Amino acid sequence: MSMAQDADVEITDARPRKKIRSSTQRKRATSPIHHPRAPQLFAPFRALGLITNHIPFYLQTRSYKDATDGPRIHILTCLGRSWALWEGGKMGLLFVGPEVPDPISCLVMDGDAVWAASGIHVIKYLRGKEVSRISNPLRTPLAFVVLFGAQLLALTEDGGRMLIWAISTNEPALSANLQFDIGFTATSILHPATYLNKVLVASNEGDMQLWNIRTQTCIHKFSHSQLCTLPSQPNMSTSPSSITALTQSPAIDVVGVGFLSGEISIYDVRADERLMRMYMDNGAIKALSFRSDGHPILASASSSGHIALWDLNSGGRLLHLIRGAHDGAVSALEWVPGQPVLISSGEDNSVKQWLYESPTAVPRLLKFRSGHHAPPHLIRFYGEDGKQLLSASADRTLRCISVVRDSRSYEMSQGSLARKATTLSKSLASLKFPPITSMSSSSTRSKDWDDVLTAHADEMCVRSWTVLNKRLGKHTFSSAESSKRKAPSGVVKCVCVTACGNFGLAGSSAGEIHMWNLQSGLKRKSFKVGPCPRAVIDRLESSSMAKPKASERAITGLASDALNRVVIASTSDGAVNFFNFHTCTLDQTMVLPASAISMILQQDSGLLAAVCDDMIIRIIDIETHRVVRELSCGVRGRILDVAFSSDSRWIVATSLDSVIRTFDIPTGQLINAFRTPSVATSIAFSPANDFLATAHVDSVGIFLWANRSQYSEVAFHVISEDDIAEVALPLMQGSEEDEALEALESLGVEDTPTDVFSTPSQLDGDLVTLTLLPRARWQTLLNLEVIQHRNKPKEPPKKPEHAPFFLPTLPGVEHRFAIEEKKQEKQDKETRRLDKNAAKSPSILHKLLAELEKNGGSGDVLFDYIKSLSPAAIDVELRSLVSLDGLLQFLRAIKRRLQSHLDFEAVQTLQNVVLRMHADMIIENEELRAELEELLNVQKKEGGRVLDLLASSLGTLGFVRDTR
């Protein structure tokens, strides 16, 4: 086979397309107004990967009697508009609070109660449920809260007032409203140990004040010049430095104060003097904490993510400095009381526990829970069970996220970067790989070798990963090694792992495609797209664009079929190239009307979705090489990502207009669409068809949407752009089983669809309708006597004899037992009283016949009962018709049913069986004989009509067959 020629190029511009309705004003004038409705297909389920944000966590320890494993640790973190409670032993999730309208600004705990400041309210929760709420009468947001015995103290966001509520009663009441002087902007509150009714208030100007909350007076003021000696900025020597951290030390009257300039002061409040001074470079002090197990050590954290340990016995000497403890500013630090364990949280969406085995040893990371600290931009499901997600983010990490349980999520290791960062004195983030731009995986050979390929921004190499070992793989494939020296080497744009898991492919911006063996790492084949097709040149010339060179035909999408027969590559000029997998030759090229941005293949069905820059998704059949569907995603935003459902029934697309659309591929119609608060940059459909995963531009989490069609009946309608409703993102849910079940309860559709088609009992009165029961049912009833005679046993079954406890033996050489023959017990004679009672009680069939004779009608209830019986039961009921009234009623019921054209084959069978059973009685009785003659006339009329219809249909069928 030769390379692609102009004759092999298939142009899809000329294919007939359905006209798009351009004018809808006439229909809008006559049709009723449809309000936007909630999406029926997807329901918000839960969010993954959310641990904490910039709000400091709250640490609570509980000691129990006879406990051998130490106190129980609870960590309360903020998730933006909700909160999460974690168990410190295994870092397991305990509770998740409900979402509030305003972001949470502060969190505290009091026993089992959680207090959260949100907007103008302070809300109290018990076991995740809201029990009470306190509102600021000034209607200004609250920024900081602290519990002080039976009182709740809060600072307003502007820092001008401190509000005090008495919370000892069921209805909290505002007891004090303190206003600070002008020039004092309060930021935090601290209660000094052993100080009765007194609190320290830190300010944004670097000053502190000691207040008595009972008398509502300011006792003492600590000036900025006494607390700090360094300015906040080097070029501004007179500007004060704000207080950013304030904590109590184990020593009475001594507190630790951290400033924006990086200075730390150990201050004696009673003596009003500074005892010690330390300084941290590279940022402001974000948190301070004193060790409480007997070692005088102070831990401090900076806004650059470093944690420092200071020896207070040596005048504040630096013991250890953990560089890059967090990939961002550290929000809080807390020592576990009585333990050498330090807990830290940062703006990188992580909570970490550090163990200090000795004052001289370097602290080590004990346990942690973390997630992405930058919004993920690429997510894909891994495996066929839909329980794991691979997510890539701008934080230069690749994470494997468990859909079932958050504790099973982890970051894929990139090697010993911490050791390299220490050796080279560089930050850990600078040594990570560039952000991932393309990703592909196959779990077929995951137990044998690497199973994930990734392409990175502005790199000419492809990296392999192993999910089984949770780390970087053995091979790094370079596309520049195999190219010629003078030929330009482009960066890798897309990757693909074959369905068998043996090969990996990569396409570059220079138009080259290379294939490697994932087991050995050796290069196997190369594919070249060649020069630009003539159809593309004509299209570009018509649009006044320059002709692209062969080296400028960047590969934008790459895929291979399930049987390794075809390699499909899309280029930036709008061409879709089909290569032979084994010979590497270009078989055919399709030219699309617009440039192809990306491409995805559903391997089971052979459908290829090409996303074009004219905001249209074109579905291509890779067997026939033709465009079978064109799906328009509006005109407002570029398409960012698409995903197929596992059954190839739907395709889901996300675009820059924040709308997630679902198209029905067989009909090509838009059946579901909803708008999210932020743009979804990437989507993935579960292989199990139960969840849709989305990643958004302003969130570090991954959000799951449950497929309602898996749990209830959903009636799909063709919707328009006016029917799109905005839906809030899913919330963080707990791992408890009852919470998961409660989440599933909301998956059912509330409103029952009114236009669901149901088959009527009879399409038309002139048509003959059958019972829709199996044919064998009525054949068995006709031949029931023959079947019973054939299945009759030759002799009645004998009951096995019971062996005696002692078995007597007979004399002789052989061992034989003496078994006495038992006399047959005489059967008890049946009493005649039972026979008389049984004969007097009418059966259900008799009752239904009498009711039909009295009320009239078509006999639907009677025949529904007959159709529910087995052939043997119908035979017994018909044999019970021994009275003249019963036979007369039954013949009339058959005649009425025959005239209604319903249950035609059932009527014929019942008529045959009854006449065979009770022929003698019917012939002897004149009244029954007269009714039988009427039934015969109706039977001849209906039978002749049916035969005429059959003859006409057979004649028409024969004529059609002969004309062919």
Side-chain angles (χ1 to χ4, degrees), residues 500-513:
C500 61
N502 296 326
F503 302 100
L505 296 97
S508 66
S509 59
E512 296 180 349
I513 303 172

Side-chain angles (χ1 to χ4, degrees), residues 652-664:
V652 186
T654 175
S655 55
L656 276 176
D657 56 359
S658 302
V659 178
I660 298 176
R661 297 175 173 86
T662 304
F663 295 91
D664 185 64

Side-chain angles (χ1 to χ4, degrees), residues 380-412:
R380 292 293 181 265
F381 273 95
Y382 173 80
E384 299 298 329
D385 54 359
K387 295 181 179 180
Q388 288 178 305
L389 269 167
L390 293 175
S391 65
S393 172
D395 58 6
R396 301 184 174 186
T397 60
L398 175 64
R399 300 187 66 87
C400 182
I401 298 178
S402 173
V403 176
V404 180
R405 190 176 295 273
D406 278 345
S407 59
R408 300 174 185 171
S409 304
Y410 54 87
E411 179 184 346
M412 303 285 282

